[in-house]
Amino acid sequence: MRPEAVVIGVGNPYRRDDGVGLAVVDRLRAAGLPGVTLAESDGEAVALILLWQCRRVAVVVDAVRADPPHPGRIHRMAMPEPGRVNRPGGTHATGPADAVALARTLGRLPQRLVLYGVEAADTGYGCGLSPGVAGAADRLAARIADELRAATGGRDQRP
């Protein structure tokens, strides 16, 4: 039996703040959320769909760009949210927004999908998050852990 919930961190750890989704997943591993699948992805649409299909709750975390930028600011969007057009841009050529559109067409959206975007300061080559984005990763991991405990009733979902 597949756990009801999945958290997918999207990003590239060798592009500084673009690795924020992966950093949030790392922090959640330390939180010990029984029965929640923690996954990492490069953001390719089909890979995301395969990770979240047949789930009751899916949470996706990715770095985003916004104008004007506020590095470390967290954006939250629960899906499906029809008609939403004004969203921060991702840091990948394709990503979660493309996966949502494709999954909607294919009927492969989870029952509840929450997208978190963390505004990036630096997506140049290198490892490690900028200070504002690292702080946001800490706050967001705690927020997601609380949200998942509430959504799953805190129960262990292991088979």
Side-chain angles (χ1 to χ4, degrees), residues 43-131:
E44 194 275 322
V46 173
L48 290 172
I49 292 168
L50 290 173
L51 287 167
W52 73 42
Q53 72 180 0
C54 303
R55 306 289 183 148
R56 190 168 65 79
V57 179
V59 178
V60 178
V61 181
D62 196 5
V64 296
R65 292 189 181 121
D67 189 22
H70 297 284
R73 181 168 53 182
I74 298 169
H75 300 266
R76 181 184 188 278
M77 184 185 332
M79 299 298 287
E81 194 172 312
R84 174 136 179 159
V85 177
N86 221 357
R87 61 178 164 76
T91 60
H92 313 285
T94 64
D98 300 302
V100 169
L102 180 59
R104 182 176 284 127
T105 299
L106 298 174
R108 301 288 178 156
L109 283 172
Q111 289 180 25
R112 178 151 179 78
L113 175 60
V114 179
L115 303 175
Y116 280 104
V118 179
E119 288 186 34
D122 178 5
T123 57
Y125 294 107
C127 295
L129 303 176
S130 63

Side-chain angles (χ1 to χ4, degrees), residues 7-10 12-13 19-33 37-41 61 128-129 137-138 140-142 144:
V7 178
I8 306 165
V10 175
N12 180 341
V20 69
L22 310 177
V24 168
V25 166
D26 282 342
R27 286 159 173 77
L28 287 169
R29 282 190 183 101
L33 295 169
T37 300
L38 300 173
E40 297 178 355
S41 173
V61 181
L129 303 176
D138 292 336
L140 185 51
I144 290 170

